[in-house]
Amino acid sequence: MEFLNMILSGTNQGILWGIMALGVYITFRLLDFADLTVEGSFATGGAVAAMLISKNCDPFVACLVALVAGACAGAVTGLLNTKLKIPPILAGILTMTALYTINLLIMGNKSSIAILPTKSMFAIVEGWFKVIPRTYIILIIGLVFSAIVVGVSYWFFGTEIGSSIRATGANEKMCRAQGINTDSTKILGLMISNALVAFSGAFIAQQQGTGNLTMGVGAIVIGLASVVIGETIISSKRNFLARLISIFLGSVIYRLIITIVYYLGLGTEYTKLLTAVIIVIALSLPTLKGKFATNKRTKTASANPTDVTLNDELTDAQIEKEQAQTQVVQSVACETKEEEKNA
């Protein structure tokens, strides 16, 4: 029973941290921007939520305010990079450093603010459904908000503006050639990313019962670990929705690994080392798979040289077919232009 409760607790943590991991995914994968603001904006979300809830503000409203605060932090990083031409990593470090003092001021020059268990959103929802234990309440709320975040993200990044953000990360020079304002897309992408990070920080602060200055330390590594694990399990060649879901799956798996290690008696001082090992293994898996597949093809080619010849012939035939199709398209285009001129 104790082991099951531990697994459930790790799953809850993974889902809530998954929102933060999605924010990291937006900057590192979609925008191709090495943003280190995350560690500061995560603590900003927790600080804003803790301060507002301690002042008897509705916890749901506190989460929304934390989301806006995170977006402002992302906007600062974007402006430093696009307008002042400060490199991405340095821009993120500068914002993160400034946020330490800003978070301290938000919490009234206190290093931490406690959130009474009865004032968190989990306590409020538990009051609505008294039969359901707190652990399952956290799981349900986490799944609901995660589904909303994934759904809205999937819709937004399919729109013209969202596609522009993705295109900026894929090929910035081509986007500029197409008339896209890449400075604006970068700033907007960073705002969305850090808004999600701060939103996650507000949830974590309520779950842990406190918001403090150091709660964002290591957040960027946790986010990257979740992204890498998710991409290892679900290929990046899958559709965009599957990739978004894989981020949460990676976050849950990472948290379960950490939770199980704690359960086995390993101290918390080994967490950073364990995280580094997990990331290295996840990053090296695609390379190892590629080498294994190459060795397998080599052995197959040595055993059946006739099959390799047939495959080469098929490849040549496909190339000739594609060339013929290209010539047809070009000839049709020329005929169309001639008809337009005659008309």
Side-chain angles (χ1 to χ4, degrees):
M1 189 66 180
E2 181 183 355
F3 182 77
L4 292 176
N5 290 332
M6 178 199 67
I7 294 296
L8 185 59
S9 176
T11 303
N12 291 341
Q13 286 275 339
I15 292 172
L16 296 179
W17 280 88
I19 300 174
M20 183 275 299
L22 181 58
V24 173
Y25 174 79
I26 290 172
T27 50
F28 275 83
R29 283 288 187 263
L30 297 187
L31 201 56
D32 193 23
F33 191 102
D35 182 27
L36 299 182
T37 315
V38 170
E39 297 200 1
S41 58
F42 186 84
T44 300
V48 169
M51 174 55 72
L52 291 176
I53 293 173
S54 66
K55 300 295 183 181
N56 297 321
C57 177
D58 185 89
F60 293 96
V61 175
C63 287
L64 293 177
V65 176
L67 187 144
V68 174
C72 293
V76 172
T77 302
L79 291 171
L80 290 176
N81 174 250
T82 58
K83 304 305 178 184
L84 301 182
K85 305 303 177 185
I86 297 175
I89 293 178
L90 186 56
I93 292 174
L94 290 172
T95 307
M96 177 185 67
T97 304
L99 283 174
Y100 182 87
T101 302
I102 292 172
N103 294 338
L104 186 62
L105 293 174
I106 289 173
M107 295 191 294
N109 291 322
K110 297 178 182 178
S111 60
S112 64
I113 293 180
I115 301 175
L116 294 177
T118 55
K119 291 188 176 182
S120 69
M121 67 166 62
F122 306 114
I124 292 175
V125 176
E126 187 180 15
W128 298 343
F129 307 97
K130 296 182 180 180
V131 182
I132 305 177
R134 171 68 67 90
T135 308
Y136 291 98
I137 291 292
I138 297 173
L139 177 63
I140 293 170
I141 292 176
L143 288 173
V144 170
F145 278 96
S146 297
I148 293 172
V149 168
V150 169
V152 173
S153 299
Y154 179 71
W155 165 78
F156 174 77
F157 285 105
T159 62
E160 185 176 352
I161 298 175
S163 298
S164 298
I165 294 174
R166 296 168 65 182
T168 300
N171 193 329
E172 184 176 349
K173 291 182 179 179
M174 181 61 71
C175 287
R176 287 178 180 173
Q178 296 294 327
I180 297 174
N181 188 337
T182 55
D183 288 351
S184 298
T185 55
K186 281 184 179 181
I187 294 172
L188 181 58
L190 288 166
M191 289 178 66
I192 295 170
S193 169
N194 286 280
L196 292 176
V197 170
F199 196 51
S200 175
F203 281 108
I204 296 297
Q206 293 183 65
Q207 191 211 17
Q208 295 179 349
T210 181
N212 58 72
L213 292 175
T214 60
M215 64 183 295
V217 175
I220 186 67
V221 178
I222 295 172
L224 287 174
S226 302
V227 171
V228 171
I229 293 172
E231 290 180 340
T232 303
I233 296 172
I234 299 179
S235 174
S236 59
K237 295 180 181 179
R238 296 292 186 97
N239 63 60
F240 187 59
L241 180 60
R243 279 181 281 166
L244 293 178
I245 295 174
S246 72
I247 306 305
F248 286 87
L249 183 61
S251 178
V252 170
I253 292 174
Y254 171 79
R255 276 293 158 186
L256 286 177
I257 293 172
I258 298 297
T259 303
I260 291 172
V261 168
Y262 287 164
Y263 181 77
L264 295 176
L266 193 65
T268 56
E269 62 272 14
Y270 296 100
T271 304
K272 301 295 183 184
L273 176 61
L274 179 62
T275 301
V277 171
I278 292 172
I279 294 176
V280 169
I281 293 173
L283 285 173
S284 61
L285 278 177
T287 304
L288 295 175
K289 286 180 181 178
K291 289 183 178 180
F292 177 78
T294 302
N295 293 333
K296 189 175 181 180
R297 284 196 297 268
T298 304
K299 292 179 180 179
T300 304
S302 301
N304 302 305
T306 307
D307 293 344
V308 178
T309 304
L310 290 173
N311 288 334
D312 291 340
E313 291 176 355
L314 287 172
T315 303
D316 293 337
Q318 290 174 353
I319 293 172
E320 291 176 359
K321 184 179 179 180
E322 290 178 358
Q323 290 176 346
Q325 290 175 346
T326 303
Q327 291 175 357
V328 170
V329 172
Q330 290 175 348
S331 63
V332 171
C334 291
E335 290 176 0
T336 304
K337 288 182 179 179
E338 289 178 1
E339 291 176 357
E340 290 177 353
K341 289 179 179 179
N342 295 331

